[in-house]
Amino acid sequence: MAIILRSSDPLLSRIHPQPQQIDHFDHLPDSILLLIFNNIGDVKALGRCSVVSKRFHSLIPQVENVVVRVDCVISDDDSSSLLSDKPRSVAAATPFSAIFRLVFKPLQALGQFLKRSSSASSPSGSSSPSSLLISGGGGDDGEIEQGGVTHHSPTQVLKNFDEIRFLRIELPSGELGIDDGVLLKWRAEFGSTLENCVILGASSVIPPSKNSDNSDTSVDLSSSNTAVAVAEDNGSIPESFYTNGGLKLRVVWTISSLIAASARHYLLQPIIAEHKTLDSLVLTDVDGQGVLCMNRDQLEELRVKPLSASSASKRTLVPALNMRLWYAPTLELPDGTVLKGATLVAIRPSESKKEVCDVSWVSSAFNESYGVAAKMLVKRRTYCLEMNSF
């Protein structure tokens, strides 16, 4: 008969004592742990890490690379619907009428992490109307509570980090409500005001699969390309561009993109003022519709130079602008994608001292196939426009 000794048997424990469990993280230096935390980046994940141990809690504030992913965007004028499931189409329409709040879904660990900054901050501190909100915890300034869940501003949450150098904030979607199939992307750089902006748009995008599956379409595209070549040779945009509303649509795209960019810039003021260690700040969206970038020099300029802002519309004022426009009725990319009504707009302030003819920054504004599209468009004839401050 076999005798089985279980691990809980006292006799077995005396004969083969259980090895003491070792926490291998205790043997890692702080520099290695910080390297791991910097690769994690996500503010919610870092919030969870901070409640694992006292050591983790003391190291998280030293993280230099932080990513803040926002769950929903709402209007500051619509505080009653702060926690409601607002349809995406409605949320996309708010940036032109009011400032945003950025709201994060509940996260208990993040709320506990917030207690660090709550106890350290002065009682008189409060978030500005343009503050961004995150949920978890409760009871402090800069918070809104509903249904037992407290929503904090990212400005408040980021106060837990003392040495941020690289900050990336991602909105859940682009602000501009556009029809399905329409392409609209922008990239802007700001200091205390707009420094440059590049906008890429197309009235429709035909994927490579549809081109290869439809031989008739291929024939039509071939003829269109021939027409484009002729237009390029004689250096003119087709007359239909002016008569069928094409130019008017591009103006709307341009103004809408500039308003969205200036509204994002306005929101970032409290974060930039608080974190003087920042080397890079990017405010983008999951859709990849718009990207606002600021480097160290631009961030410092905003801190020392007064911001020209519109208090009524809650955005940074846009200065008088010089614009350069490139257009192609049909643009076929190397991967087979076809852009109908492809348009590229490069924008700089009228007072900019940078060389007007330099378009290298324009062609490098976008990645992958859209970067290729920009490089193809800048080889075409350039049209110059001007726009007053607004």
Side-chain angles (χ1 to χ4, degrees):
M1 184 174 79
I3 299 176
I4 300 176
L5 296 179
R6 300 184 183 278
S7 58
S8 59
D9 193 310
L11 177 61
L12 181 62
S13 299
R14 289 196 296 272
I15 298 175
H16 301 287
Q18 294 289 336
Q20 186 177 3
Q21 291 187 349
I22 300 175
D23 186 352
H24 295 286
F25 270 95
D26 288 341
H27 297 283
L28 293 177
D30 288 352
S31 59
I32 298 299
L33 289 181
L34 283 172
L35 181 62
I36 295 172
F37 292 146
N38 276 304
N39 277 277
I40 291 173
D42 180 73
V43 72
K44 293 182 181 180
L46 292 174
R48 295 186 181 99
C49 292
S50 71
V51 298
V52 170
S53 67
K54 291 182 178 179
R55 186 187 182 197
F56 281 17
H57 192 272
S58 66
L59 288 175
I60 294 297
Q62 302 176 42
V63 171
E64 297 180 344
N65 181 45
V66 177
V67 179
V68 180
R69 294 185 174 91
V70 178
D71 295 311
C72 69
V73 182
I74 70 163
S75 167
D76 209 28
D77 291 342
D78 193 13
S79 58
S80 61
S81 62
L82 177 62
L83 304 183
S84 64
D85 295 328
K86 178 177 287 189
R88 177 171 171 175
S89 59
V90 176
T94 58
F96 307 107
S97 59
I99 199 63
F100 318 119
R101 291 180 186 268
L102 306 188
V103 184
F104 291 72
K105 293 177 181 176
L107 179 59
Q108 185 177 6
L110 188 58
Q112 294 176 13
F113 184 41
L114 282 171
K115 293 179 181 177
R116 173 182 176 271
S117 65
S118 321
S119 56
S121 60
S122 62
S124 60
S126 62
S127 63
S128 68
S130 60
S131 61
L132 320 177
L133 299 182
I134 294 185
S135 61
D140 301 317
D141 288 336
E143 302 170 350
I144 293 180
E145 185 170 351
Q146 183 172 342
V149 179
T150 303
H151 295 256
H152 303 267
S153 71
T155 303
Q156 182 187 20
V157 171
L158 291 172
K159 286 183 178 179
N160 295 284
F161 299 91
D162 304 323
E163 302 178 22
I164 300 179
R165 294 181 58 201
F166 307 99
L167 176 60
R168 180 182 179 90
I169 302 175
E170 295 182 1
L171 304 179
S173 63
E175 300 94 326
L176 308 180
I178 56 176
D179 297 331
D180 291 340
V182 174
L183 170 69
L184 182 58
K185 291 182 174 291
W186 59 266
R187 184 183 187 278
E189 292 188 9
F190 279 78
S192 60
T193 187
L194 178 70
E195 291 195 359
N196 64 69
C197 181
V198 184
I199 301 167
L200 177 66
S203 54
S204 65
V205 180
I206 305 175
S209 58
K210 290 189 178 181
N211 293 334
S212 58
D213 293 342
N214 192 331
S215 58
D216 292 337
T217 303
S218 300
V219 173
D220 291 337
L221 290 176
S222 177
S223 349
S224 298
N225 288 334
T226 303
V228 171
V230 173
E232 188 172 15
D233 289 341
N234 60 29
S236 63
I237 286 179
E239 187 66 27
S240 59
F241 180 75
Y242 304 98
T243 59
N244 65 3
L247 178 59
K248 180 179 179 180
L249 177 62
R250 271 68 183 178
V251 172
V252 171
W253 286 352
T254 300
I255 295 175
S256 300
S257 299
L258 289 171
I259 290 177
S262 61
R264 289 189 187 187
H265 182 249
Y266 184 90
L267 285 173
L268 295 173
Q269 293 177 79
I271 295 175
I272 295 171
E274 179 76 21
H275 298 278
K276 294 180 172 57
T277 57
L278 277 172
D279 287 336
S280 171
L281 192 158
V282 176
L283 178 50
T284 184
D285 57 81
V286 174
D287 295 338
Q289 185 181 89
V291 179
L292 184 150
C293 304
M294 298 181 72
N295 59 33
R296 186 171 186 82
D297 292 338
Q298 293 164 337
L299 291 163
E300 186 60 29
E301 178 186 323
L302 179 59
R303 295 188 190 103
V304 300
K305 189 174 180 179
L307 178 72
S308 297
S310 170
S311 57
S313 56
K314 307 292 185 182
R315 63 176 178 81
T316 304
L317 291 177
V318 177
L321 305 171
N322 287 329
M323 301 186 294
R324 309 181 78 193
L325 182 146
W326 296 268
Y327 175 80
T330 302
L331 188 71
E332 184 170 2
L333 306 183
D335 65 358
T337 301
V338 173
L339 306 182
K340 292 287 191 177
T343 308
L344 182 69
V345 182
I347 304 169
R348 270 184 172 158
S350 301
E351 298 180 354
S352 176
K353 298 179 181 179
K354 295 185 178 179
E355 180 59 45
V356 177
C357 297
D358 177 22
V359 294
S360 58
W361 61 281
V362 178
S363 56
S364 61
F366 304 101
N367 297 324
E368 300 176 351
S369 59
Y370 297 119
V372 174
K375 291 178 181 178
M376 294 172 68
L377 284 167
V378 295
K379 296 177 181 178
R380 304 178 66 83
R381 180 173 178 176
T382 304
Y383 291 82
C384 298
L385 302 89
E386 294 182 355
M387 182 176 292
N388 294 330
S389 175
F390 64 94

